[in-house]
Amino acid sequence: MRTANKTKRLMPRKLVVRTNPHSIAAEQYRTIRTNINFSIPDLTSKIILFTSASKEEGKSTTAANMAIVFAETGKRVLLIDADMRRPTLFRTFQLVNNTGLSNLLLGKGNLKHSVKASGIPNLDLLMSGQIPPNPAELLESDILDELMGEMRELYDYVLVDSPPILSVTDAKILANRCDGTVLVVNTGKSEKVSVEKARDSLATAKAFILGVVLNNYPLTSENYYYHNYND
Amino acid sequence: MESTFNLNKFLKAMHKRKALIIFVTLAFVVFAAVASYTIMKPVYKATTQILVNQNTVSSQDVNSLDINTNLQLIGTYNVIIKSPAILTTVIEELKLDETAQSLTERITVTNIESSQVVTLSVEDSSMNQAVILANTIAKVFQEEIQQMMKVDNVSILATAEMTASPKPIRPDPIFNMAIGAIVGLVFGVGITLILDQLNTTVRSEEDIEEMPGLQVLGIVSPVDSNLKMEKPLNLSDRLEKDNYADSEQDKKINATKIGGSY
């Protein structure tokens, strides 16, 4: 195990869908995939935002695993790290955050050259890019709309990982432009009040809330149904 | 905050904290037991029975008038037994170190269903003393009543006896422990309810469904850290390596790694 360092470091994201495709958690992600598909409008390509009320509820882990399960279905998937304040995607996939979303929003480079291969079929990644001083203003720019248009042409699913909605305004701006928003809630940690505030915040942004993913949900006997199902 | 009572939720909360409830209940039972056996002083009770009846030698038949008179007298006698008139004499006789007032509180006089038998009970921390007291009170009462009422209609039916191993009437440890168990149970359930109300985090799918405008897309259970990888990953062994571009130095190092990720 990694020892605590001077600087606060996040644990590498657990891509359980990749490491244990038959685990209970992996099946749960697939269930969420199905439910998202049922609740999102029938578009040719879908841009889905992942956010949470506050930090460390599991947005990035959920987004990454969801990206993998969407890619499993043979659809072309792009996973974007839109958290330009505390980027994590490059760590999850052991890549380097040298160029990405912030560079594109500043008008440098193009989408096709900025995305990185994830090593997983059908899944491309777009890092956050260099950390800009003004992430919110960048997201407000018209370039984002153009980018989204390009993404729709290239991918069936675009999954966007964002900062917490109650901390900064970035997620609100994104939620307004995405087709649907998934709210990640850390079971037993997130306050009900915060979740309701996040919901109201998304409503203000005229976001389409797909629903809630309850992360770290204690395993109950019902879940064991999945066990031995494949064996 | 809706505070509608939901039995299912309530039972779930109880089930989740059953260890706490059991612990609190047991703690109360243990406390009751300790208090009963060590802290509380045992109290013993000795009883004598006094018959109130006109000892008429002349008429052998008991007429109802006599009985009625006697019954009315019993009421009076009950008061007299507990009166200082009797008790000061008892205290003097036994050289007790207490007042008539405090002795009164330890005496109960009853007569069962308007019979002519008066039961006199005395409570004391020593059985021996209780027996002596009960008998002395009965004796003094019998003597004094002759002078007071100018009648001789009181006879002692049964004297208090000292038994080999007397049982104290108080405390009753079993009863106390039962009370302790009930109080503890109520207490434990109360604590659980309060804790449940104080916890304002999202803990179940129902918590989300109760919020208008939100639905649960799914749940993700924590991954068992002992889970073995189903297939080897060249990613995995690199997770341990320091591959972060946090500091300037790291960035320089990583800059040389570009393109070499896979």
Side-chain angles (χ1 to χ4, degrees):
Chain A
M1 287 310 296
R2 189 187 303 287
T3 49
N5 274 314
K6 284 187 289 283
T7 50
K8 184 163 168 33
R9 285 179 174 171
L10 297 165
M11 285 292 295
R13 296 276 177 284
K14 292 201 185 83
L15 296 179
V16 65
V17 176
R18 183 156 195 222
T19 56
N20 305 74
H22 300 296
S23 62
I24 291 173
E27 289 302 340
Q28 289 169 326
Y29 282 119
R30 292 186 189 102
T31 304
I32 296 166
R33 174 185 69 199
T34 309
N35 290 342
I36 287 178
N37 279 334
F38 280 134
S39 46
I40 202 159
D42 207 4
L43 301 162
T44 45
S45 69
K46 307 171 175 73
I47 302 184
I48 304 161
L49 179 77
F50 286 80
T51 190
S52 66
S54 26
K55 62 176 187 181
E56 282 160 29
E57 296 200 45
K59 296 177 292 297
S60 306
T61 309
T62 307
N65 280 296
M66 288 309 301
I68 298 170
V69 292
F70 274 117
E72 277 178 358
T73 60
K75 303 280 187 190
R76 292 162 304 161
V77 181
L78 174 67
L79 174 58
I80 304 177
D81 190 353
D83 187 344
M84 289 182 280
R85 297 163 195 267
R86 297 177 66 195
T88 53
L89 184 63
F90 69 99
R91 285 184 200 156
T92 310
F93 285 88
Q94 307 291 297
L95 297 167
V96 183
N97 189 12
N98 54 344
T99 179
L101 183 63
S102 62
N103 310 75
L104 291 174
L105 291 173
L106 287 164
K108 297 171 186 165
N110 66 31
L111 182 65
K112 272 184 185 169
H113 287 106
S114 300
V115 298
K116 292 187 165 70
S118 63
I120 294 162
N122 303 320
L123 176 59
D124 284 349
L125 309 170
L126 181 62
M127 304 297 149
S128 67
Q130 307 280 304
I131 296 181
N134 53 348
E137 287 81 355
L138 279 185
L139 290 168
E140 293 269 21
S141 75
D142 296 336
I143 300 178
L144 183 63
D145 288 328
E146 288 172 32
L147 268 177
M148 283 185 162
E150 275 184 71
M151 290 170 193
R152 284 183 195 281
E153 284 168 26
L154 294 170
Y155 298 98
D156 300 308
Y157 288 95
V158 179
L159 272 55
V160 186
D161 179 19
S162 69
I165 194 153
L166 297 183
S167 320
V168 289
T169 190
D170 305 17
K172 275 179 95 165
I173 301 164
L174 287 163
N176 177 265
R177 303 192 186 189
C178 293
D179 302 323
T181 302
V182 173
L183 192 59
V184 179
V185 169
N186 193 349
T187 315
K189 291 278 194 304
S190 314
E191 292 287 337
K192 287 179 195 170
V193 182
S194 307
V195 176
E196 284 175 324
K197 274 188 188 158
R199 175 201 61 192
D200 298 343
S201 200
L202 286 168
T204 315
K206 296 189 174 57
F208 179 65
I209 306 174
L210 297 172
V212 171
V213 168
L214 285 169
N215 213 0
N216 289 328
Y217 199 89
L219 215 53
T220 55
S221 50
E222 294 131 55
N223 296 120
Y224 285 104
Y225 162 76
Y226 293 116
H227 263 327
N228 313 323
Y229 192 70
N230 294 319
D231 304 345
Chain B
M1 280 295 290
E2 296 156 60
S3 54
T4 47
F5 182 74
N6 180 333
L7 182 69
N8 200 6
K9 254 190 188 174
F10 170 79
L11 290 176
K12 259 188 194 163
M14 293 299 130
H15 183 75
K16 210 176 88 177
R17 296 203 192 270
K18 61 177 183 288
L20 175 88
I21 295 170
I22 291 166
F23 174 78
V24 171
T25 307
L26 285 178
F28 271 78
V29 170
V30 169
F31 175 76
V34 168
S36 304
Y37 286 113
T38 61
I39 301 164
M40 292 182 189
K41 287 197 169 67
V43 176
Y44 298 91
K45 185 172 166 182
T47 305
T48 61
Q49 287 177 324
I50 302 163
L51 178 64
V52 178
N53 194 20
Q54 195 70 43
N55 290 346
T56 45
V57 191
S58 55
S59 65
Q60 288 295 325
D61 54 325
V62 181
N63 65 42
S64 61
L65 189 74
D66 275 348
I67 292 180
N68 272 334
T69 315
N70 285 328
L71 285 183
Q72 280 159 19
L73 281 175
I74 285 170
T76 315
Y77 291 169
N78 287 358
V79 179
I80 292 173
I81 291 176
K82 294 174 84 169
S83 72
I86 303 284
L87 296 186
T88 37
T89 317
V90 172
I91 289 166
E92 277 168 21
E93 196 168 310
L94 294 175
K95 296 183 179 57
L96 293 177
D97 186 22
E98 64 176 315
T99 60
Q101 181 62 39
S102 69
L103 188 54
T104 304
E105 286 164 8
R106 287 156 45 193
I107 299 170
T108 38
V109 183
T110 49
N111 76 312
I112 303 146
E113 291 169 27
S114 66
S115 71
Q116 293 174 276
V117 178
V118 175
T119 309
L120 162 69
S121 305
V122 183
E123 290 175 6
D124 197 286
S125 53
S126 124
M127 185 68 194
N128 206 20
Q129 183 69 1
V131 169
I132 292 167
L133 266 173
N135 288 336
T136 313
I137 293 168
K139 183 173 69 76
V140 170
F141 171 68
Q142 198 186 4
E143 291 161 1
E144 295 282 318
I145 205 79
Q146 290 176 20
Q147 292 170 21
M148 278 187 206
M149 314 275 292
K150 303 284 180 283
V151 286
D152 179 18
N153 62 350
V154 172
S155 53
I156 294 170
L157 197 65
T159 53
E161 297 290 336
M162 180 71 196
T163 48
S165 56
K167 271 206 162 69
I169 55 150
R170 278 203 309 271
D172 181 350
I174 303 295
F175 178 77
N176 285 354
M177 283 193 273
I179 295 288
I182 292 166
V183 172
L185 193 66
V186 169
F187 213 77
V189 169
I191 291 172
T192 306
L193 274 180
I194 289 165
L195 285 175
D196 208 49
Q197 288 297 317
L198 286 179
N199 190 340
T200 53
T201 58
V202 175
R203 281 171 297 159
S204 67
E205 294 184 60
E206 289 80 30
D207 288 345
I208 295 294
E209 299 294 355
E210 281 169 8
M211 299 176 188
L214 292 182
Q215 56 161 346
V216 177
L217 286 171
I219 59 173
V220 179
S221 300
V223 180
D224 183 4
S225 52
N226 301 328
L227 209 60
K228 286 199 171 61
M229 300 236 174
E230 290 177 23
K231 50 184 180 187
L233 269 187
N234 37 8
L235 268 181
S236 61
D237 50 8
R238 305 182 47 161
L239 290 179
E240 298 305 311
K241 281 187 201 157
D242 200 340
N243 206 11
Y244 294 162
D246 279 353
S247 64
E248 284 304 311
Q249 201 186 352
D250 282 347
K251 277 182 188 164
K252 283 200 188 93
I253 294 166
N254 279 336
T256 62
K257 292 187 188 171
I258 295 173
S261 303
Y262 285 96

